[in-house]
Amino acid sequence: MCAGRDVKVLTTTDDRLHDLEPGMVAFSTPKTDAPTITVKPATLLQEIDGFGAAITGSTAYNLMRMPEDRRREFLHETFSRNGGYGMSYVRVSIGCSDFSLDEYSCCDTPGIDNFALTKEELMYVIPILQEIREINPEAKILGSPWTPPRWMKVNNLKELRPHNEWTSGHINPKYYDDYAEYFLKWLEAFEDHGLDIYAITMQNEPLNRGNSASCFMGWEEQRDFLKGSLGPVLKKAGTKVKVYAFDHNYNYDSMKDQEGYPTNIYADEAGEYLAGAAYHNYGGNKDELLRIHNCAPEKELVFTETSIGTWNDGRNLGKRLIDDMNEIVIGTVNRWCRGAIAWNLMLDDDRGPNREGGCQTCYGTVDLSPDMTEVRRNSHYYIMAHASVAAQPGAHRIAHDSTGNTEGIETAAFLNNDGSRGLLLSNSTCNDREVNVIDGDMTFVCTIPARGIVTCRW
């Protein structure tokens, strides 16, 4: 027993949508009939970059429609480490995405000297990112393109969307150098607005030909573009931005010749330019993360996109909460991911604004009410809030052992830079479960509600 210290606890269940108020659990003697989780802070695993959601054009537009005081309140709750949940990782599109107000690139007129940020960045995305950085200076930004400028592409599949050349196609190799300069100019333009970019991927969903704005980029194309153009351009410029390969599904969209996509690039000299690989969960099994890590343990992994929507009963917290926590947060960090990012932070009550040919059935991590004053928090908001409380940027996942009957209980443990410990727990059973948590000579008992998730911080 250790006197004089308390454990801060956050709890969310399927019937208490806003039960995220800090609670306190005193250190005490263990219960003999409860399973035990022993954390091992001396065994450091991967560093944690953070957790959060995408600031798409639609998200930023919706946020800017809110009354300023309500927007600031929501952003403070979401991103502040002082009185908020401290989310710290956001993703933005380089050019448009399927959740933009229009389809565009930052260089629609041929010639790379015509690069310029657009209304969407200047009026919506950048102001919101600046507000977030004001609230949480440690918030990291990851950028991903949905498509290069149309003039750089060949073989666009107009039959997918007649009269629209944003869909599919490939980068014309003769424009690889121009496209590398496009990335650099985008990085520099955001820096001019006080926004350093932490990481980029070379193509969102490179095996998806059908998104409203998209570009097919098989691993050989990504390898050649990185090795011959993007890597050397970024290196010459002295940028510290991390580059991640792939940025798509665990199952490589069932394309046999694309299996192991990032490891194929690691094996080439192009691999020297890569920090690691990024993944989504729209197909396949998260155990692919373990396989990729074991093939190249020196490379990083990050989980960059997941969605809820009408197809998976996305507003039903009772159905989504546990599965999303286990798959997206606990499941990915226990398989070596340094962070996890959900898709749109905010959509309106009609799942928009969205683009024809993109996802028109997605919900946001929160949805904005028609009067633009209230937000409905969905499962992705809660799981990212819990993860952000447990693990601050720079934390490390730590080893832990479980004994006794832990059926239905999933866990992940962290050591923060301030010496505090964080523990995520989920309970998929229909009964409340008590667990002993042991940290050296300190023990406390935590109750995980039925179908609930808990974060302990001490």
Side-chain angles (χ1 to χ4, degrees):
M1 182 173 179
C2 179
R5 292 186 62 185
D6 291 302
V7 183
K8 295 181 180 179
V9 178
L10 301 179
T11 303
T12 303
T13 63
D14 61 6
D15 63 345
R16 286 176 285 175
L17 303 188
H18 303 289
D19 186 14
L20 279 172
E21 291 300 315
M24 308 299 278
V25 174
F27 281 90
S28 61
T29 55
K31 292 198 170 184
T32 57
D33 58 347
T36 296
I37 298 166
T38 303
V39 300
K40 299 182 175 182
T43 305
L44 300 180
L45 304 171
Q46 81 269 26
E47 186 173 344
I48 299 299
D49 286 331
F51 303 90
I55 306 298
T56 60
S58 297
T59 288
Y61 173 76
N62 286 324
L63 285 165
M64 293 297 283
R65 294 168 68 204
M66 296 180 74
E68 183 177 359
D69 60 335
R70 299 294 287 168
R71 180 178 73 246
R72 294 287 293 181
E73 179 183 348
F74 170 73
L75 291 177
H76 187 275
E77 172 196 302
T78 303
F79 293 100
S80 176
R81 288 178 56 184
N82 182 19
Y85 302 121
M87 293 190 199
S88 58
Y89 212 169
V90 299
R91 185 176 181 228
V92 301
S93 60
I94 300 174
C96 72
S97 74
D98 53 322
F99 281 93
S100 287
L101 305 182
D102 203 351
E103 286 158 336
Y104 68 91
S105 77
C106 295
C107 193
D108 285 342
T109 301
I112 195 61
D113 290 341
N114 294 312
F115 179 97
L117 296 180
T118 71
K119 175 182 176 180
E120 182 162 303
E121 288 95 15
L122 295 173
M123 291 187 62
Y124 302 112
V125 175
I126 285 174
I128 291 300
L129 292 176
Q130 289 170 334
E131 283 195 49
I132 290 170
R133 276 284 180 81
E134 180 184 345
I135 294 167
N136 184 351
E138 290 188 272
K140 295 177 174 66
I141 303 170
L142 181 146
S144 303
W146 266 238
T147 177
R150 285 179 293 182
W151 55 272
M152 296 185 187
K153 296 171 70 177
V154 292
N155 298 328
N156 300 320
L157 297 183
K158 291 185 180 181
E159 64 270 22
L160 292 175
R161 297 182 66 210
H163 313 299
N164 190 305
E165 294 181 349
W166 294 107
T167 300
S168 193
H170 299 255
I171 305 172
N172 188 331
K174 76 177 184 179
Y175 292 120
Y176 277 0
D177 288 348
D178 283 337
Y179 196 37
E181 289 292 334
Y182 179 90
F183 276 87
L184 181 60
K185 286 179 179 293
W186 184 85
L187 293 169
E188 292 173 342
F190 271 66
E191 288 175 359
D192 288 344
H193 289 273
L195 298 167
D196 61 292
I197 303 299
Y198 180 72
I200 58 172
T201 68
M202 288 174 277
Q203 174 61 44
N204 170 71
E205 297 185 353
L207 306 182
N208 179 359
R209 295 183 184 273
N211 208 344
S212 62
S214 53
C215 179
F216 189 90
M217 198 180 199
W219 71 263
E220 292 173 307
E221 292 175 282
Q222 196 160 108
R223 175 201 64 194
D224 293 346
F225 170 59
L226 177 64
K227 178 170 57 177
S229 297
L230 182 62
V233 164
L234 296 180
K235 184 177 181 178
K236 181 179 179 180
T239 177
K240 302 297 185 183
V241 70
K242 293 184 177 184
V243 181
Y244 290 110
F246 194 45
D247 204 11
H248 206 173
N249 294 334
Y250 298 137
N251 69 346
Y252 309 100
D253 277 18
S254 301
M255 298 180 186
K256 296 293 291 184
D257 63 335
Q258 299 299 323
E259 289 180 359
Y261 189 120
T263 60
N264 296 328
I265 305 176
Y266 296 161
D268 186 85
E269 60 188 88
E272 69 176 276
Y273 296 113
L274 288 176
Y279 278 85
H280 304 178
N281 72 337
Y282 302 120
N285 188 289
K286 61 183 178 294
D287 283 343
E288 178 65 7
L289 296 168
L290 288 176
R291 193 182 75 81
I292 296 299
H293 170 78
N294 290 335
C295 287
E298 74 283 3
K299 297 294 189 182
E300 300 174 3
L301 289 169
V302 62
F303 183 85
T304 48
E305 187 181 319
T306 183
S307 294
I308 49 174
T310 57
W311 71 91
N312 61 6
D313 204 3
R315 285 177 172 167
N316 183 342
L317 201 63
K319 183 173 182 179
R320 294 259 42 95
L321 184 66
I322 300 300
D323 286 349
D324 288 344
M325 173 57 87
N326 290 346
E327 287 293 316
I328 297 163
V329 175
I330 294 177
T332 63
V333 298
N334 282 344
R335 288 162 177 79
W336 297 96
C337 282
R338 295 169 64 99
I341 306 171
W343 194 210
N344 295 270
L345 176 62
M346 177 183 286
L347 294 178
D348 66 27
D349 202 50
D350 292 322
R351 305 187 295 275
N354 56 51
R355 305 299 305 157
E356 178 189 354
C359 182
Q360 297 181 311
T361 56
C362 290
Y363 298 126
T365 63
V366 304
D367 296 320
L368 181 62
S369 64
D371 67 1
M372 296 172 284
T373 62
E374 303 296 331
V375 295
R376 176 194 179 99
R377 294 162 180 81
N378 295 317
S379 60
H380 285 178
Y381 186 84
Y382 289 109
I383 65 173
M384 295 303 175
H386 276 265
S388 299
V389 169
Q392 298 171 350
H396 282 81
R397 180 167 70 98
I398 56 176
H400 64 285
D401 288 337
S402 300
T403 58
N405 179 17
T406 58
E407 182 179 358
I409 297 173
E410 300 285 341
T411 57
F414 307 92
L415 175 67
N416 289 290
N417 286 338
D418 63 2
S420 64
R421 281 72 153 147
L423 183 65
L424 294 172
L425 306 110
S426 72
N427 173 14
S428 62
T429 73
C430 295
N431 300 302
D432 292 355
R433 298 290 301 277
E434 289 185 323
V435 296
N436 300 311
V437 179
I438 298 178
D439 177 11
D441 61 353
M442 299 179 294
T443 301
F444 63 90
V445 179
C446 176
T447 299
I448 319 171
R451 301 290 301 171
I453 60 177
V454 169
T455 295
C456 300
R457 179 84 177 270
W458 69 97

